[in-house]
Amino acid sequence: MNHLDGSDRRWILVTGSNRGIGRATALKLAGDGFGVVLHCRGEVERLQALRDDIAAFGGASRALVFDIADRAACRAQIEADIVASGSYYGVICNAGLARDAVFPGMADDAWDTVLRTNLDGFFNVLKPALMPMIRSRRGGRIVVLSSVAGQIGNRGQVNYSASKAGLIGAAKSLALELASRNITVNCIAPGLIETDMIESAPRQEILKQIPAGRLGSADEVAALAAYLCSDAAAYITRQVIGINGGMI
Ligand code: NDP
């Protein structure tokens, strides 16, 4: 259990936490005693409902709304939040999207949007958060949601796979820069997780690729993210941890 006393509570920003894996992760972290900075781009009502759920079991949260592809908005919102409420102990870079198409039919916008969001989002969110985290001298945790598609590729996801592979390189490099400051940086690479993101995916086809014979749940990914944020995981850094039912 982390510091439940408000004064030294450790706060973790979870991007994209109004639904899916981010929501489950925010709930788990709040249950573990962290304060959670919730975030999304649009669906503010869901964020408020989540804040109520967290408050109901005595957890602490606050909420930010911005587009992670918008560098100026990320900087303005995160800097203002840190000035008002203090630096983050951790960041879960979870927000992301997919715009699938086979490569010859992939629109310029599908490439640009996915790379600007998933990969640039890493820079846009972590850049304003990092120096205050370092200056606090408390160590810290950065967890980045990559994907099995970033490890082995996936048909129809050249853009998404490129962004998720890029995140692995970025996270490993940042891990090297931050290891001596006791800030760990790791990637989680999920396989297929039951969320809105895979709503339109061909389920029967997908299940054939998963030795476990089922999709993963957001709670299962959240448990891994929370472990990586825990004190017990202090010696795990620069890793890519798969959670995929045996897909690779
Ligand atoms: P969902 O589609 O359920 O949720 C995506 C979240 O990201 C939402 O909170 C959404 O906010 C937010 N988001 C998307 N684009 C932006 C943006 N430009 N700015 C701010 N927030 C944004 O996704 P999942 O929970 O399934 O996925 C979470 C992460 O895990 C993603 O990075 C995804 O790539 C990765 N992943 C998921 C897998 C799966 O099978 N589900 C497999 C492998 C990796 P809003 O609702 O406001 O748009």
Side-chain angles (χ1 to χ4, degrees), residues 16-22 39-43 66-69 94-97 117 145-147 160 164 190-193 195-198:
S17 42
N18 60 334
R19 55 198 168 96
I21 292 168
H39 160 266
C40 74
R41 171 180 42 172
E43 293 191 25
F66 54 82
D67 182 342
I68 62 165
N94 167 78
L97 47 73
T117 305
L145 271 291
S146 178
S147 167
Y160 182 78
K164 293 298 184 178
L192 286 138
I193 310 300
T195 69
D196 296 347
M197 183 171 268
I198 63 155

Side-chain angles (χ1 to χ4, degrees), residues 76-248:
Q77 294 269 350
I78 291 171
E79 282 182 357
D81 185 55
I82 290 172
V83 167
S85 306
S87 66
Y88 306 143
Y89 175 72
V91 180
I92 314 284
C93 295
N94 167 78
L97 47 73
R99 293 277 184 279
D100 297 352
V102 288
F103 192 70
M106 184 172 287
D108 294 357
D109 181 59
W111 176 269
D112 292 342
T113 301
V114 168
L115 270 291
R116 297 295 74 85
T117 305
N118 296 359
L119 189 53
D120 289 3
F122 173 96
F123 179 84
N124 297 344
V125 169
L126 288 178
K127 191 77 198 313
L130 201 57
M131 270 320 290
M133 216 165 141
I134 291 171
R135 277 195 216 101
S136 77
R137 298 180 183 276
R138 289 177 304 175
R141 299 284 184 267
I142 295 170
V143 177
V144 178
L145 271 291
S146 178
S147 167
V148 69
Q151 296 176 293
I152 59 169
N154 192 25
R155 193 174 290 123
Q157 292 198 311
V158 172
N159 52 354
Y160 182 78
S161 302
S163 72
K164 293 298 184 178
L167 286 173
I168 291 174
K172 287 189 170 188
S173 299
L174 189 59
L176 288 172
E177 294 188 14
L178 297 178
S180 65
R181 300 177 188 275
N182 298 319
I183 299 174
T184 67
V185 187
N186 293 290
C187 284
I188 292 178
L192 286 138
I193 310 300
E194 183 87 64
T195 69
D196 296 347
M197 183 171 268
I198 63 155
E199 219 169 35
S200 57
R203 207 154 278 239
Q204 289 317 313
E205 280 307 304
I206 282 174
L207 287 175
K208 285 184 207 155
Q209 301 168 29
I210 308 173
R214 66 170 179 88
L215 301 177
S217 74
D219 286 343
E220 288 171 316
V221 182
L224 176 55
Y227 175 67
L228 290 172
C229 290
S230 72
D231 292 341
Y235 203 52
I236 301 174
T237 194
R238 204 183 168 193
Q239 302 305 303
V240 181
I241 302 174
I243 176 162
N244 58 38
M247 283 178 79
I248 59 171

Side-chain angles (χ1 to χ4, degrees), residues 4 9 25-36 54 57 59-60:
L4 288 173
R9 193 189 289 270
T25 301
L27 274 168
K28 174 75 175 116
L29 289 171
D32 287 352
F34 289 103
V36 281
I54 289 170
F57 60 75

